[in-house]
Amino acid sequence: MTIRVRFAPSPTGYLHIGGVRTALFNYLYARGQQGKFFLRIEDTDRERSRPEFEQEILSSMTWLGLTWDGELVHQSKRLDHYQTLAHDLMSRGLAYEEVKEGKTAIKFKMPATKTVFHDLVHGPIESDTALFDDMVLIKSDGYPSYHWACVVDDHDMEISHVIRGDDHISNTPRQIQLFEAMGWKPPQYGHLPLILGEDGTPLSKRHGAVSLTAFKEQGFIPEGLLNYLSLLGWGTSGNEEFFTLQALIKKFSLKRINKASAKFNPEKLEWLNGQHLKKISDEDYLERLRVYFPEESAQWGPQGWRGLCLLYRNRIKTLKDLKAQAGYCFSEPVLSQESTQKFFTDQPDLGLYLQAWLESAKAQPSFDSFKDLENMTRLVSEKSSVSASILIHPLRYALTGTTVSPGLFELMCVLGKETCLKRVQYFIKSLSS
């Protein structure tokens, strides 16, 4: 049997991270089994469906690298087909028209029977359809219901496996009844555990970002997001956590999907994202940051931008972190009076030592070599008969407004001679004020 799966989002809002996980699991299963992965836009909600949401879904799938097979399917372009098949059920006495307030809908007569199916994740599930109400097939506006369009499309697209969230379990027996009424073989079903917030409730906006767009804006990259989402409800037999998409395709198995819901851990996502940022090539890394910070990268120029970004590569977990970590590279650092005076209190002659460093730094032809800058600084400290740390710590503070940064002399090379001299001069004046 050829594996054929589908991801079928509704364009009624931004793509939820839970939907991305569903798309990923379908994609991994199809690619791992040499099957087909289809994308279907379920746009039959006329009031809430929007073109901009559909475009966001399509661009998100492309950005994630989850390429689909065949043509994109729109339910809104198949209205006549749904109506024709609904009338076929009516002709066989399995459906009927219901008129309310002058508007006509078509409803399916729900059989009073037991529906049993084997869920690929949860095992056998039985439902008593005698407890279900008759089901709308065609709404009074001529559009199909979710259940009817879903069943017709899954049949026409020859879908072999429907992999979707646990919130659809109650829909499955209803849809199986429609398959049987049409004389069609239903696909196999597997329902994924829900993604929960850290408080144990379904992941929602109150937990922070939940849409893929929001995570993109926060500087996450596709590799990190997909890797983390793959671990929500699935895992290998070992303790592996870092996976590329190709590695996931090779390892993914429906048998290893957990029944229990998974909790979303933002810190774990950030950590994995940072690991992927370290693994991509330098040029890829630089280009992603350039796209994320177009104005800032233009201001720094190609060489300056390269030096800045590479200096912070091991320190950032998201693209956005660059500006958080290196804010003093984009604007003047704020020096607190209290911190400045503490340096003076700890070392009353600091102004003299820094002035000696400043004069020596001015004589440097350039700030291109961090080794030359380090040697120059140590030479000044020797002539001043003080430890190099007496200069290094206040110099770092003068340049960054912080006590933690990448290597000081590498940072000086990135900031450049003019900026470094200006900031150190300002700090010296602050010591005496």
Side-chain angles (χ1 to χ4, degrees), residues 367-382:
F367 273 33
D368 293 339
S369 168
F370 72 88
K371 282 293 185 183
D372 288 348
L373 291 171
E374 182 178 2
N375 291 335
M376 179 268 291
T377 302
R378 295 190 183 281
L379 183 59
V380 170
S381 68
E382 288 177 13

Side-chain angles (χ1 to χ4, degrees), residues 193-358:
L194 297 180
I195 301 176
L196 306 178
E198 292 185 291
D199 61 356
T201 61
L203 191 66
S204 65
K205 289 183 179 179
R206 68 176 175 275
H207 298 108
V210 292
S211 72
L212 181 64
T213 296
F215 283 101
K216 288 172 64 177
E217 291 173 350
Q218 291 181 3
F220 289 93
I221 62 174
E223 295 90 334
L225 275 167
L226 292 177
N227 188 167
Y228 179 67
L229 290 174
S230 73
L231 303 178
L232 294 180
W234 174 85
T236 63
S237 56
N239 295 319
E240 294 177 274
E241 292 184 317
F242 182 91
F243 296 103
T244 63
L245 187 58
Q246 288 305 311
L248 285 171
I249 290 172
K250 292 179 180 179
K251 291 181 176 291
F252 183 79
S253 166
L254 292 178
K255 294 179 181 179
R256 297 202 63 83
I257 295 177
N258 299 320
K259 297 179 182 180
S261 297
K263 286 189 177 182
F264 192 88
N265 185 332
E267 289 77 20
K268 184 67 170 291
L269 168 59
E270 285 190 355
W271 177 80
L272 269 174
N273 199 74
Q275 296 304 303
H276 281 276
L277 278 174
K278 293 173 185 175
K279 294 289 185 180
I280 60 179
S281 70
D282 286 354
E283 298 309 316
D284 190 6
Y285 166 77
L286 291 167
E287 177 60 15
R288 296 194 201 203
L289 280 169
R290 185 195 66 78
V291 171
Y292 191 81
F293 293 110
E295 295 181 4
E296 292 84 351
S297 61
Q299 291 171 359
W300 273 80
Q303 287 304 113
W305 187 247
R306 182 182 186 87
L308 169 63
C309 295
L310 292 179
L311 181 61
Y312 287 86
R313 183 162 191 178
N314 290 328
R315 290 175 169 264
I316 66 174
K317 296 178 181 178
T318 69
L319 301 177
K320 188 177 182 179
D321 278 351
L322 178 66
K323 211 162 186 179
Q325 288 278 341
Y328 44 79
C329 293
F330 300 97
S331 60
E332 294 296 319
V334 177
L335 308 183
S336 76
Q337 186 175 6
E338 180 182 356
S339 297
T340 300
Q341 288 307 309
K342 188 176 187 307
F343 280 109
F344 179 73
T345 302
D346 293 344
Q347 194 60 245
D349 292 330
L350 180 59
L352 295 176
Y353 305 148
L354 288 177
Q355 189 62 45
W357 182 91
L358 190 64

Side-chain angles (χ1 to χ4, degrees), residues 31-327:
R31 295 292 178 255
Q33 300 295 320
Q34 292 76 51
K36 299 292 185 180
F37 171 69
F38 299 98
L39 182 59
R40 183 170 79 215
I41 302 298
E42 298 193 338
D43 54 350
T44 57
D45 187 333
R46 291 206 294 173
E47 292 184 1
R48 298 170 59 218
S49 294
R50 296 285 185 274
E52 58 268 29
F53 292 139
E54 178 182 332
Q55 184 55 48
E56 189 262 347
I57 291 170
L58 300 181
S59 63
S60 293
M61 294 291 286
T62 300
W63 181 76
L64 290 165
L66 303 181
T67 54
W68 60 90
D69 298 302
E71 295 184 2
L72 182 66
V73 175
H74 288 85
Q75 290 184 333
S76 60
K77 297 179 180 179
R78 294 165 50 81
L79 302 183
D80 289 345
H81 185 54
Y82 302 130
Q83 292 181 9
T84 297
L85 292 177
H87 280 92
D88 176 62
L89 284 178
M90 286 178 57
S91 69
R92 293 190 281 126
L94 301 178
Y96 60 93
E97 288 187 336
E98 180 180 75
V99 181
K100 285 186 177 181
E101 299 179 356
K103 296 181 179 181
T104 303
I106 299 177
K107 299 184 76 173
F108 175 68
K109 296 179 181 178
M110 183 62 69
T113 184
K114 301 286 186 182
T115 302
V116 180
F117 71 96
H118 183 84
D119 190 284
L120 297 170
V121 176
H122 298 280
I125 295 178
E126 180 177 314
S127 300
D128 184 357
T129 55
L131 302 176
F132 298 163
D133 295 332
D134 287 351
M135 191 165 32
V136 173
L137 301 179
I138 303 295
K139 295 177 284 188
S140 59
D141 62 2
Y143 275 65
S145 66
Y146 159 73
H147 290 297
W148 183 231
C150 181
V151 166
V152 172
D153 291 344
D154 284 346
H155 168 75
D156 290 352
M157 297 170 70
E158 299 179 353
I159 299 301
S160 63
H161 295 73
V162 171
I163 305 168
R164 56 190 182 185
D166 270 355
D167 52 329
H168 283 283
I169 286 181
S170 62
N171 294 330
T172 300
R174 292 173 169 83
Q175 293 173 5
I176 288 175
Q177 285 302 317
L178 291 175
F179 272 103
E180 292 182 353
M182 294 300 297
W184 299 336
K185 181 181 178 180
Q188 296 183 57
Y189 291 91
H191 293 90
L192 308 176
L194 297 180
I195 301 176
L196 306 178
E198 292 185 291
D199 61 356
T201 61
L203 191 66
S204 65
K205 289 183 179 179
R206 68 176 175 275
H207 298 108
V210 292
S211 72
L212 181 64
T213 296
F215 283 101
K216 288 172 64 177
E217 291 173 350
Q218 291 181 3
F220 289 93
I221 62 174
E223 295 90 334
L225 275 167
L226 292 177
N227 188 167
Y228 179 67
L229 290 174
S230 73
L231 303 178
L232 294 180
W234 174 85
T236 63
S237 56
N239 295 319
E240 294 177 274
E241 292 184 317
F242 182 91
F243 296 103
T244 63
L245 187 58
Q246 288 305 311
L248 285 171
I249 290 172
K250 292 179 180 179
K251 291 181 176 291
F252 183 79
S253 166
L254 292 178
K255 294 179 181 179
R256 297 202 63 83
I257 295 177
N258 299 320
K259 297 179 182 180
S261 297
K263 286 189 177 182
F264 192 88
N265 185 332
E267 289 77 20
K268 184 67 170 291
L269 168 59
E270 285 190 355
W271 177 80
L272 269 174
N273 199 74
Q275 296 304 303
H276 281 276
L277 278 174
K278 293 173 185 175
K279 294 289 185 180
I280 60 179
S281 70
D282 286 354
E283 298 309 316
D284 190 6
Y285 166 77
L286 291 167
E287 177 60 15
R288 296 194 201 203
L289 280 169
R290 185 195 66 78
V291 171
Y292 191 81
F293 293 110
E295 295 181 4
E296 292 84 351
S297 61
Q299 291 171 359
W300 273 80
Q303 287 304 113
W305 187 247
R306 182 182 186 87
L308 169 63
C309 295
L310 292 179
L311 181 61
Y312 287 86
R313 183 162 191 178
N314 290 328
R315 290 175 169 264
I316 66 174
K317 296 178 181 178
T318 69
L319 301 177
K320 188 177 182 179
D321 278 351
L322 178 66
K323 211 162 186 179
Q325 288 278 341

